[in-house]
Every structure is written in structure tokens, then in C-alpha cells.
Amino acid sequence: MFLKSLHLRQFRNYRDQVVNFVAPKTILVGDNAQGKSNLLEAVELLATLQSHRTSRDRDLVQDGSAESRITATLEHAMGTVDLAMTLRSSGRRSVAVNGQTLRRQLDFLGTLSAVEFSSLDLELVRGGPGYRRAWIDTLLVQLEPVYAHILQQYGLVLRQRNALLKQRHSKSVPAIGAPHRQTNAPDPMQLAAWDAQLAALGTRVIRRRARAINRIASLAEFWHREISNSSETLVVQYLPNVPLEQDDPAQIQQAFLSKIQQRAIAEQMQGTTLVGPHRDEIGFTINQTPARQYGSQGQQRTLVLALKLAELKLIEAVIGEPPLLLLDDVLAELDPKRQRKLLETIQDRFQTLITTTHLDSFDAQWLRSSHVLQVQEGRVEG
Ligand code: ATP
Ligand code: MG
């Protein structure tokens, strides 16, 4: 697929800017705080309906404006598509495809696909499990848009169940001098109803994560061997909170409910849900050592690069078209060898948008095959 143009209005620091993309690779160069990442963020929103920098639309709408509009023209195998998204500083967003406003935002997903790689992605290796869950979830949303709905429902049930546990939990702490009358066990009927929903939705999340991690693992392991010249062996593993023996929904749901039983006392004590995919982990080990403890920043970068290349290939295999690659400030930090490996892999098939503050650390091959745009104070010029 190829993003032909992007039009940003009242989006972040862009008042009204059209950007036309004319080459497979576009380098956006500019000083700090000029709007380079903002531009990639707009593309990310079109691909995933999410920004990894904020969950509040009012942060995205230009200060002093009520709404912001992102429109784009995308060429893909089925022809040309116009995408539009309106964000409001208060109120719901709306999305449209070819001028038709969609009733369900989910239907917007799956048209534009993108893999983003920014310096924040090093947190995939160094950070807590939440980063790794967010990573696989963002990928899944693009592979199977219905996953966005499942995840949202799971989150809702989780919050309700937590509220019930918390309410009882806090009531169980007696006021000073008051007799302790309340028991801290939540209403068993009510809790059982939430348990059932949590296990049913959680099972759908777990199965999809297991499938996606399985597929991405072998790709990432391959790319890691390629980049490290076979000197290191990466293993990517799904470590679900609910034990997963086979891909059988009834069995997973059963395991889910029995773990809830086992953890019932702990949940009441802590006033929060301790069982479920919101506690999943994804393990990365290199030569049998957890990657987090392993090696240098360079090695961690190699791992993240392998994960990103795997994402590109997996999306391409599932969607049937190469997704966009968004490289936010990372390319210049890769050594020439890794830059070349990346270049070899993406060739001209994956449209790539690259941000940087300076062009001097770019491999000459990159510069030759790229169109350079200057970004300054929310304006883009060729
Ligand atoms: P760096 O090289 O430091 O990463 P950048 O060019 O990627 O810089 P961006 O993150 O794209 O910078 O843009 C940051 C600028 O956008 C800041 O000046 C910030 O004040 C401005 N900005 C962010 N949100 C809004 C908003 N809602 N309204 C107006 N301006 C905003
Ligand atoms: Mg930036």
C-alpha cells in the first residue's frame, strides 16, 4: 500500500498542512519540537485508531481549537481509498472511508496498516510487561480488527469486577472505633457473573494473543539470526497468566475459572483482579538469558529491530500487502550494518517515513533512495 497524501488540520502543531508522498522513502528532517513525530502520530491513528503517546483526543486537537481533522489518500491493491478522522477536544471522534461516515469505528481498521518503530520501543525489552502487552495488542488490532472490540469489552468487565472487589475491600476496613460489621467477601452471585464474563472474554484475548505470538516468534527469531550473524539465538514466548495447554476455548475458560477460585482470597485482600490476560507476559530470551538483563543497548536494539521486521512481514502475510513503516528517530541510532540490513529488507516495497534531526549519520544508500522534506513549526516543505 502507498500513502499518497496526508492532510492535517488543527492537529497538534499543524494548522493546515498537506503532505504529498512521492517516493517509497520519505525523510522528515527538522529540529526538535517541530512536528516530525506529530506527523507520524497522525498516520498511526489512521492505522490503529490509537496514539502510543496519548489516550486523550484533547491532547491531539490543536490548542485553542475544538476539533481536528486528519485526511489521507491511500493507494492499495483494491484501488484508491480516502480516509478521514475527526477528533474532538470534547466528544466522540468520527471516521469516514471514501466520504462515508462509519457507524462502527472498528470498520475503519484494516485499511491502512503501519508498523511504528520509535526509541520508546526499547521499552519492549527494558520496560515492564505492560509494554509488551500493548505491543502485541496493537499488532493484533491490525491483524484482526475485531480484536479491538474484544479487548475493549474485556477492559470494561475487568473495571467492573475491580470496582466490585474494591468496594467490598474498602468497606471491610472499619472506621476507627466502629464495630467491624461488614464482611469483605463480595456478593457471590454478582462476582460469579463477572467471573464468567471475564473468563469468556479473557479466553478470546488469550487465544488470539497465543496465535499472534506464535506466528511472530518464528519471524522474529529468523530476523534476529540474520542481524546478529547467527551468533545469538532469540526465543520469543507467550507466558500467559492463565495456563494454556492447548488452543481449546473450553479448556482455557476452565483453567481461567479454577485459577480465579485459587486466587479468591488474595483478590479480596488486594481488592483487585489478579487473574487474566491483563497480567500476561511475553518473554524474550537471547542465548537463554532474559533479554532485559542481557547485553548492551545495541543488542537490545537488534532485538527490537528483529521484532519490527517480524511485524512488517506478519502484517504483509495476513493483509496480503506490505504495510507502511514509520521510523521515529531510530534510524540514525542504528549502526551502518543494521541500517543496511533494514534497507535490504524493506527495499522499495514497504513505504517508509523516517524522522530525524540530522541527515549526517545516514548511510549513503538511504539518502540516495529517499525524498527529503523539511519540518519546521508545523509546516512541511520539500
Ligand atoms: P523531536 O525531534 O524532539 O522528537 P518532533 O519534531 O518530533 O521533535 P513533535 O513531538 O512532533 O516534535 O512536536 C512537538 C511540538 O508539538 C511541540 O512544540 C508541542 O508544543 C507541539 N504540540 C503538541 N501538541 C499540541 C497541541 N495539541 N496543540 C498545539 N501544539 C502542540
Ligand atoms: Mg519526535
Side-chain angles (χ1 to χ4, degrees), residues 50-109:
Q50 278 172 22
S51 156
H52 71 280
R53 302 202 294 183
T54 180
S55 54
R56 297 182 310 183
D57 283 1
R58 81 179 105 106
D59 295 342
L60 302 166
V61 175
Q62 186 156 73
D63 297 340
S65 303
E67 60 176 54
S68 138
R69 213 167 144 71
I70 306 170
T71 55
T73 304
L74 181 75
E75 243 167 34
H76 67 162
M78 319 292 280
T80 303
V81 196
D82 289 319
L83 298 170
M85 177 181 278
T86 306
L87 304 157
R88 300 184 171 85
S89 54
S90 57
R92 274 172 60 82
R93 5 172 127 143
S94 41
V95 290
V97 176
N98 290 331
Q100 293 278 328
T101 300
L102 303 179
R103 208 171 44 80
R104 296 191 321 162
Q105 304 218 342
L106 264 188
D107 297 333
F108 193 77
L109 293 167

Side-chain angles (χ1 to χ4, degrees), residues 36-38 53 328-329 355:
K36 303 182 299 296
S37 301
N38 293 345
R53 302 202 294 183
D328 196 3
D329 256 348
T355 70

Side-chain angles (χ1 to χ4, degrees), residues 222-267:
F222 167 82
W223 286 111
H224 196 268
R225 266 194 309 278
E226 283 280 301
I227 309 166
S228 69
N229 290 333
S230 306
S231 62
E232 295 171 350
T233 308
L234 167 70
V235 175
V236 180
Q237 258 180 318
Y238 185 29
L239 306 168
N241 175 270
V242 170
L244 179 73
E245 276 150 33
Q246 62 210 64
D247 186 25
D248 171 11
Q251 181 266 321
I252 303 168
Q253 220 158 311
Q254 197 45 53
F256 205 125
L257 291 168
S258 8
K259 189 160 177 188
I260 288 182
Q261 293 282 312
Q262 287 164 26
R263 307 285 284 149
I265 308 275
E267 285 195 334

Side-chain angles (χ1 to χ4, degrees), residues 33 48 60 65 68 83 93 99 106 140 242 287 303 350 356 363 365:
T48 64
L60 302 166
S65 303
S68 138
L83 298 170
R93 5 172 127 143
L106 264 188
L140 263 163
V242 170
N287 296 344
L303 168 52
F350 297 91
T356 187
D363 190 271
Q365 279 188 57

Side-chain angles (χ1 to χ4, degrees), residues 194-209:
W194 289 126
D195 292 354
Q197 287 200 53
L198 192 78
L201 287 160
T203 298
R204 299 178 73 187
V205 172
I206 294 166
R207 291 182 66 212
R208 281 172 173 78
R209 280 189 184 162

